[in-house]
Amino acid sequence: MSQSQSRFIFHVDLDAFYVSVEVRENPNLKGLPVVVGADPQGGKARGVVMTSSYEARKFGLKSGMPISTAFRLCPDAVYLPPHWELYEDASRQVMRLLRGHADRFEQLGIDEAFLDVSDRARSLDEAKKLALAIKKELQDSLGLTCSIGIAPNKSMAKIASDRQKPNGLTVVPFDYPKGFLAPLHVSVIPGVGSKTQAFLKEHQIETIGQLQKVSGQELMKWFGKTGVWLWGVIQAEEMLPVIGRDMPKSLSVERTFKEDVEDFRKVYDEAADAARELGARVRDANLLFKVAGVKVRFKGFETHTRERTLAGFTNSDEALAGEARSLLKEFENKNRPVRLVGVRVSQLKRETAVLTRLDEWARS
Ligand code: TTP
Ligand code: MG
């Protein structure tokens, strides 16, 4: 690839991933509204929808929605509890297949990845053929469908893959990529959440086209360093490399007390401190987590672990410390000396610069 030639970046995202894996295991579910998430218990339960089939989405179901709302909208759906091992196995198979088609490969989450294929596709036509071949191979060998975005950079590839779900292929016009972005709502930019949308709306900005008219200086004034990144994204100038890195499955911090602790307040304090340390490690590694857990070991080595799936991905200390505290509560009244307390996060996903959570600016 010469310097002046543009790169061919794919963003591949599996369609309704958890549900598709469930349907593959049990083909009778094909074509039905299917939900993976909390047990709705007749509509009274707490907990959320992790994902749902496209048939269920027709009823208004969405990831992260309370399961009680889902049950109200679609009581006849098939509600399934999550089977993590199944999804992790499928994810490994998918990533192995995708990696084989890329010069540079970056896994972004359980069901999505960037592929830089610039060295093997010499034209956009070849890139499209390769994308179609990948889709066919995923379908034929793993029984799963995906949507692919092809663009000159990562942020646009990610935006593109979401345009024609499920089973889509969206190619950004390489001669005028800014024009592809202009009509889209600002919320399609990875990382632009509700706070940023509300802020922009106050400035009469709802589409990327309107945002493209704002100067880089102004964006920096509004969002600090993130404004530089945002400018690159909306001007189709972002040039972040596709970098392969290992993704840990979980991270944890454990603290052993010098002497067994009787006063449970000390356990809470130590857990909060461990949560802060773990939060910093998570952020240093550019990760977000969705499951928070704790470990308690009593005198005599009896050990317990508990974990909880959160409504969304986060890297916040407060969220982790709060979850840890509430998970530890059931052990408080055991009145037994504690030897060790630990906090753990899992279901990790990469927060690359492409996924900078713009809403963070509001907190700093
Ligand atoms: P997504 O790729 O966001 O969703 P999806 O694959 O189910 O559907 P789509 O066709 O729109 O891509 O997330 C991948 C998996 O991650 C999803 O199958 C379940 C899980 N997940 C959650 O557990 N909670 C969530 O809030 C989201 C968004 C996803
Ligand atoms: Mg997906």
PDB file of all heavy atoms in Angstrom, residues 10 35 41 75-76 104 116 119 148-149 166 176 226 257 264 291 321 324 342 354:
ATOM      1  N   PHE A  10     -12.186  -2.872   7.823  1.00  0.00           N
ATOM      2  CA  PHE A  10     -13.496  -3.496   8.051  1.00  0.00           C
ATOM      3  C   PHE A  10     -13.830  -3.406   9.539  1.00  0.00           C
ATOM      4  O   PHE A  10     -12.948  -3.603  10.373  1.00  0.00           O
ATOM      5  CB  PHE A  10     -13.475  -5.007   7.731  1.00  0.00           C
ATOM      6  CG  PHE A  10     -13.310  -5.369   6.286  1.00  0.00           C
ATOM      7  CD1 PHE A  10     -13.164  -4.418   5.286  1.00  0.00           C
ATOM      8  CD2 PHE A  10     -13.301  -6.724   5.927  1.00  0.00           C
ATOM      9  CE1 PHE A  10     -13.000  -4.791   3.955  1.00  0.00           C
ATOM     10  CE2 PHE A  10     -13.143  -7.105   4.600  1.00  0.00           C
ATOM     11  CZ  PHE A  10     -12.984  -6.147   3.612  1.00  0.00           C
ATOM     12  N   VAL A  35     -35.282 -13.736  23.545  1.00  0.00           N
ATOM     13  CA  VAL A  35     -34.596 -12.761  24.390  1.00  0.00           C
ATOM     14  C   VAL A  35     -33.585 -13.501  25.259  1.00  0.00           C
ATOM     15  O   VAL A  35     -33.913 -14.528  25.844  1.00  0.00           O
ATOM     16  CB  VAL A  35     -35.602 -12.032  25.319  1.00  0.00           C
ATOM     17  CG1 VAL A  35     -34.885 -11.029  26.213  1.00  0.00           C
ATOM     18  CG2 VAL A  35     -36.685 -11.349  24.487  1.00  0.00           C
ATOM     19  N   GLN A  41     -39.974 -13.597  35.143  1.00  0.00           N
ATOM     20  CA  GLN A  41     -40.866 -13.987  36.254  1.00  0.00           C
ATOM     21  C   GLN A  41     -42.252 -13.354  36.119  1.00  0.00           C
ATOM     22  O   GLN A  41     -42.722 -12.676  37.041  1.00  0.00           O
ATOM     23  CB  GLN A  41     -40.231 -13.571  37.592  1.00  0.00           C
ATOM     24  CG  GLN A  41     -38.943 -14.307  37.881  1.00  0.00           C
ATOM     25  CD  GLN A  41     -38.207 -13.724  39.083  1.00  0.00           C
ATOM     26  OE1 GLN A  41     -38.661 -12.749  39.689  1.00  0.00           O
ATOM     27  NE2 GLN A  41     -37.072 -14.307  39.419  1.00  0.00           N
ATOM     28  N   PRO A  75     -44.826 -10.568  25.588  1.00  0.00           N
ATOM     29  CA  PRO A  75     -44.909 -11.653  26.581  1.00  0.00           C
ATOM     30  C   PRO A  75     -44.686 -13.034  25.967  1.00  0.00           C
ATOM     31  O   PRO A  75     -44.327 -13.971  26.674  1.00  0.00           O
ATOM     32  CB  PRO A  75     -46.334 -11.511  27.138  1.00  0.00           C
ATOM     33  CG  PRO A  75     -47.089 -10.678  26.155  1.00  0.00           C
ATOM     34  CD  PRO A  75     -46.097  -9.832  25.444  1.00  0.00           C
ATOM     35  N   ASP A  76     -44.910 -13.158  24.644  1.00  0.00           N
ATOM     36  CA  ASP A  76     -44.799 -14.477  24.018  1.00  0.00           C
ATOM     37  C   ASP A  76     -43.396 -14.827  23.558  1.00  0.00           C
ATOM     38  O   ASP A  76     -43.184 -15.904  23.000  1.00  0.00           O
ATOM     39  CB  ASP A  76     -45.752 -14.560  22.812  1.00  0.00           C
ATOM     40  CG  ASP A  76     -47.201 -14.457  23.255  1.00  0.00           C
ATOM     41  OD1 ASP A  76     -47.473 -14.854  24.412  1.00  0.00           O
ATOM     42  OD2 ASP A  76     -48.024 -13.944  22.477  1.00  0.00           O
ATOM     43  N   ARG A 104      -3.841  -6.798   9.796  1.00  0.00           N
ATOM     44  CA  ARG A 104      -3.830  -6.353  11.186  1.00  0.00           C
ATOM     45  C   ARG A 104      -5.240  -6.554  11.734  1.00  0.00           C
ATOM     46  O   ARG A 104      -6.221  -6.311  11.033  1.00  0.00           O
ATOM     47  CB  ARG A 104      -3.409  -4.887  11.288  1.00  0.00           C
ATOM     48  CG  ARG A 104      -1.892  -4.698  11.185  1.00  0.00           C
ATOM     49  CD  ARG A 104      -1.509  -3.280  10.854  1.00  0.00           C
ATOM     50  NE  ARG A 104      -1.947  -2.902   9.520  1.00  0.00           N
ATOM     51  CZ  ARG A 104      -1.302  -3.244   8.390  1.00  0.00           C
ATOM     52  NH1 ARG A 104      -0.188  -3.951   8.444  1.00  0.00           N
ATOM     53  NH2 ARG A 104      -1.773  -2.884   7.220  1.00  0.00           N
ATOM     54  N   ASP A 116      -7.745  -4.680   9.261  1.00  0.00           N
ATOM     55  CA  ASP A 116      -7.120  -3.830   8.256  1.00  0.00           C
ATOM     56  C   ASP A 116      -6.667  -4.775   7.142  1.00  0.00           C
ATOM     57  O   ASP A 116      -5.811  -5.633   7.357  1.00  0.00           O
ATOM     58  CB  ASP A 116      -5.929  -3.093   8.865  1.00  0.00           C
ATOM     59  CG  ASP A 116      -5.293  -2.121   7.868  1.00  0.00           C
ATOM     60  OD1 ASP A 116      -5.440  -2.339   6.642  1.00  0.00           O
ATOM     61  OD2 ASP A 116      -4.645  -1.161   8.315  1.00  0.00           O
ATOM     62  N   ASP A 119      -3.323  -4.515   2.799  1.00  0.00           N
ATOM     63  CA  ASP A 119      -2.245  -5.187   2.072  1.00  0.00           C
ATOM     64  C   ASP A 119      -2.745  -6.320   1.191  1.00  0.00           C
ATOM     65  O   ASP A 119      -2.025  -6.811   0.332  1.00  0.00           O
ATOM     66  CB  ASP A 119      -1.203  -5.739   3.054  1.00  0.00           C
ATOM     67  CG  ASP A 119      -0.439  -4.605   3.720  1.00  0.00           C
ATOM     68  OD1 ASP A 119      -0.459  -3.487   3.165  1.00  0.00           O
ATOM     69  OD2 ASP A 119       0.143  -4.840   4.790  1.00  0.00           O
ATOM     70  N   ILE A 148     -20.981  -5.907   8.135  1.00  0.00           N
ATOM     71  CA  ILE A 148     -19.631  -5.380   7.932  1.00  0.00           C
ATOM     72  C   ILE A 148     -19.717  -3.960   7.393  1.00  0.00           C
ATOM     73  O   ILE A 148     -20.544  -3.652   6.530  1.00  0.00           O
ATOM     74  CB  ILE A 148     -18.830  -6.263   6.945  1.00  0.00           C
ATOM     75  CG1 ILE A 148     -18.738  -7.705   7.480  1.00  0.00           C
ATOM     76  CG2 ILE A 148     -17.420  -5.687   6.709  1.00  0.00           C
ATOM     77  CD1 ILE A 148     -17.869  -8.641   6.652  1.00  0.00           C
ATOM     78  N   GLY A 149     -18.860  -3.096   7.930  1.00  0.00           N
ATOM     79  CA  GLY A 149     -18.691  -1.755   7.383  1.00  0.00           C
ATOM     80  C   GLY A 149     -17.297  -1.659   6.783  1.00  0.00           C
ATOM     81  O   GLY A 149     -16.340  -2.133   7.399  1.00  0.00           O
ATOM     82  N   PRO A 166     -29.771  -6.542  10.153  1.00  0.00           N
ATOM     83  CA  PRO A 166     -28.729  -7.574  10.204  1.00  0.00           C
ATOM     84  C   PRO A 166     -28.247  -7.971   8.813  1.00  0.00           C
ATOM     85  O   PRO A 166     -28.870  -7.592   7.828  1.00  0.00           O
ATOM     86  CB  PRO A 166     -29.488  -8.752  10.840  1.00  0.00           C
ATOM     87  CG  PRO A 166     -30.901  -8.584  10.366  1.00  0.00           C
ATOM     88  CD  PRO A 166     -31.125  -7.093  10.241  1.00  0.00           C
ATOM     89  N   TYR A 176     -15.853  10.539  -1.123  1.00  0.00           N
ATOM     90  CA  TYR A 176     -16.364  11.647  -0.312  1.00  0.00           C
ATOM     91  C   TYR A 176     -16.935  11.119   1.007  1.00  0.00           C
ATOM     92  O   TYR A 176     -18.140  11.171   1.257  1.00  0.00           O
ATOM     93  CB  TYR A 176     -17.425  12.443  -1.093  1.00  0.00           C
ATOM     94  CG  TYR A 176     -17.809  13.724  -0.391  1.00  0.00           C
ATOM     95  CD1 TYR A 176     -16.830  14.622   0.053  1.00  0.00           C
ATOM     96  CD2 TYR A 176     -19.147  14.030  -0.150  1.00  0.00           C
ATOM     97  CE1 TYR A 176     -17.176  15.786   0.705  1.00  0.00           C
ATOM     98  CE2 TYR A 176     -19.510  15.201   0.504  1.00  0.00           C
ATOM     99  CZ  TYR A 176     -18.510  16.082   0.938  1.00  0.00           C
ATOM    100  OH  TYR A 176     -18.865  17.229   1.586  1.00  0.00           O
ATOM    101  N   THR A 226     -10.624  15.404  23.935  1.00  0.00           N
ATOM    102  CA  THR A 226     -11.567  14.569  23.198  1.00  0.00           C
ATOM    103  C   THR A 226     -12.082  15.287  21.951  1.00  0.00           C
ATOM    104  O   THR A 226     -12.459  14.658  20.968  1.00  0.00           O
ATOM    105  CB  THR A 226     -12.748  14.177  24.097  1.00  0.00           C
ATOM    106  OG1 THR A 226     -12.214  13.805  25.355  1.00  0.00           O
ATOM    107  CG2 THR A 226     -13.529  13.028  23.529  1.00  0.00           C
ATOM    108  N   PHE A 257      -5.675  -9.700  54.788  1.00  0.00           N
ATOM    109  CA  PHE A 257      -5.428  -8.918  56.000  1.00  0.00           C
ATOM    110  C   PHE A 257      -4.264  -9.517  56.783  1.00  0.00           C
ATOM    111  O   PHE A 257      -4.114 -10.744  56.833  1.00  0.00           O
ATOM    112  CB  PHE A 257      -6.690  -8.896  56.866  1.00  0.00           C
ATOM    113  CG  PHE A 257      -7.833  -8.169  56.213  1.00  0.00           C
ATOM    114  CD1 PHE A 257      -8.903  -8.868  55.664  1.00  0.00           C
ATOM    115  CD2 PHE A 257      -7.824  -6.778  56.123  1.00  0.00           C
ATOM    116  CE1 PHE A 257      -9.956  -8.202  55.048  1.00  0.00           C
ATOM    117  CE2 PHE A 257      -8.874  -6.105  55.503  1.00  0.00           C
ATOM    118  CZ  PHE A 257      -9.936  -6.810  54.962  1.00  0.00           C
ATOM    119  N   PHE A 264     -16.543  -5.648  60.266  1.00  0.00           N
ATOM    120  CA  PHE A 264     -16.827  -5.729  58.827  1.00  0.00           C
ATOM    121  C   PHE A 264     -16.635  -4.386  58.122  1.00  0.00           C
ATOM    122  O   PHE A 264     -16.443  -4.341  56.911  1.00  0.00           O
ATOM    123  CB  PHE A 264     -18.238  -6.283  58.582  1.00  0.00           C
ATOM    124  CG  PHE A 264     -18.327  -7.081  57.295  1.00  0.00           C
ATOM    125  CD1 PHE A 264     -17.879  -8.392  57.226  1.00  0.00           C
ATOM    126  CD2 PHE A 264     -18.828  -6.494  56.135  1.00  0.00           C
ATOM    127  CE1 PHE A 264     -17.932  -9.110  56.038  1.00  0.00           C
ATOM    128  CE2 PHE A 264     -18.885  -7.211  54.941  1.00  0.00           C
ATOM    129  CZ  PHE A 264     -18.429  -8.517  54.899  1.00  0.00           C
ATOM    130  N   VAL A 291     -19.413  -7.015  34.300  1.00  0.00           N
ATOM    131  CA  VAL A 291     -19.727  -7.860  35.453  1.00  0.00           C
ATOM    132  C   VAL A 291     -18.773  -7.492  36.584  1.00  0.00           C
ATOM    133  O   VAL A 291     -17.573  -7.396  36.368  1.00  0.00           O
ATOM    134  CB  VAL A 291     -19.591  -9.356  35.096  1.00  0.00           C
ATOM    135  CG1 VAL A 291     -19.729 -10.224  36.335  1.00  0.00           C
ATOM    136  CG2 VAL A 291     -20.628  -9.754  34.054  1.00  0.00           C
ATOM    137  N   ALA A 321     -17.094   0.013  43.341  1.00  0.00           N
ATOM    138  CA  ALA A 321     -17.102   0.009  44.810  1.00  0.00           C
ATOM    139  C   ALA A 321     -18.524  -0.209  45.333  1.00  0.00           C
ATOM    140  O   ALA A 321     -18.738  -0.955  46.295  1.00  0.00           O
ATOM    141  CB  ALA A 321     -16.516   1.312  45.343  1.00  0.00           C
ATOM    142  N   ALA A 324     -19.498  -3.822  44.823  1.00  0.00           N
ATOM    143  CA  ALA A 324     -18.747  -4.673  45.747  1.00  0.00           C
ATOM    144  C   ALA A 324     -19.407  -4.616  47.129  1.00  0.00           C
ATOM    145  O   ALA A 324     -19.624  -5.642  47.773  1.00  0.00           O
ATOM    146  CB  ALA A 324     -17.289  -4.220  45.812  1.00  0.00           C
ATOM    147  N   GLY A 342     -11.669  -9.561  47.997  1.00  0.00           N
ATOM    148  CA  GLY A 342     -11.194  -9.249  46.644  1.00  0.00           C
ATOM    149  C   GLY A 342     -12.313  -8.690  45.796  1.00  0.00           C
ATOM    150  O   GLY A 342     -13.497  -8.916  46.073  1.00  0.00           O
ATOM    151  N   VAL A 354     -11.210   5.004  19.493  1.00  0.00           N
ATOM    152  CA  VAL A 354     -12.412   5.083  18.669  1.00  0.00           C
ATOM    153  C   VAL A 354     -13.658   5.077  19.544  1.00  0.00           C
ATOM    154  O   VAL A 354     -14.681   5.631  19.200  1.00  0.00           O
ATOM    155  CB  VAL A 354     -12.459   3.901  17.674  1.00  0.00           C
ATOM    156  CG1 VAL A 354     -13.829   3.757  17.064  1.00  0.00           C
ATOM    157  CG2 VAL A 354     -11.432   4.107  16.591  1.00  0.00           C
TER     158      VAL A 354
END
